[in-house]
Amino acid sequence: VQLQASGGGLVQAGGSLRLSCAASGSMLSINIIGWYRQTPGKQRDLVAVISRGGSTTYADSVKGRFTISRDNVKNTANLQMNSLKPEDTAVYYCNAVGDDGLRRRPFNSWGQGTLVTVSS
């Protein structure tokens, strides 16, 4: 299962960006989809994930500023990031976990990463 992420870029502090993630494949059942981020020398941390039923989990540092959503038909997810701070600067990775009905096996896939840079 391939994930295509888009929407990163350079923005000033206080600005907004919207990240998108699209999963490609047939007969996919995505249970959890979401975003993680990573800065050089540090581990990859959860930003926000959403379940198939719409339950969400956010990192404390982004609560109230970021909103994750998904489209179960299109197999896509979006992360709306508002009130961005310089400490949000990172490479953001899309992740999806679910079942590949065509290949009859589970999957845990990562996108290629998209850079978000927030200037002060």
Side-chain angles (χ1 to χ4, degrees), residues 4 6 9 23 25-26 28 42 60 63 68 85 97 99 106 109 111:
Q4 181 66 44
S6 61
S26 301
L28 298 180
K42 296 189 176 182
D60 287 343
K63 286 180 180 177
I68 190 170
K85 304 175 181 180
V97 178
D99 296 295
S109 297

Side-chain angles (χ1 to χ4, degrees), residues 59-72:
D60 287 343
S61 60
V62 307
K63 286 180 180 177
R65 301 188 297 122
F66 291 11
T67 302
I68 190 170
S69 61
R70 65 182 285 175
D71 185 319
N72 290 333

Side-chain angles (χ1 to χ4, degrees), residues 41-55:
K42 296 189 176 182
Q43 67 180 18
R44 192 173 296 183
D45 292 326
L46 181 145
V47 176
V49 294
I50 184 168
S51 72
R52 187 170 185 83
S55 297

Side-chain angles (χ1 to χ4, degrees), residues 3-10 17 19-20 34-48 62 66 79 81 84-95 110-118:
L3 302 181
Q4 181 66 44
S6 61
L10 173 64
L17 282 175
L19 303 184
S20 296
W35 296 90
Y36 292 72
R37 67 187 179 187
Q38 188 172 24
T39 55
K42 296 189 176 182
Q43 67 180 18
R44 192 173 296 183
D45 292 326
L46 181 145
V47 176
V62 307
F66 291 11
L79 183 68
M81 305 186 294
L84 283 161
K85 304 175 181 180
E87 50 264 44
D88 294 317
T89 296
V91 177
Y92 285 69
Y93 294 91
C94 179
N95 172 257
W110 292 89
Q112 81 278 17
T114 183
L115 178 62
V116 171
T117 304
V118 184

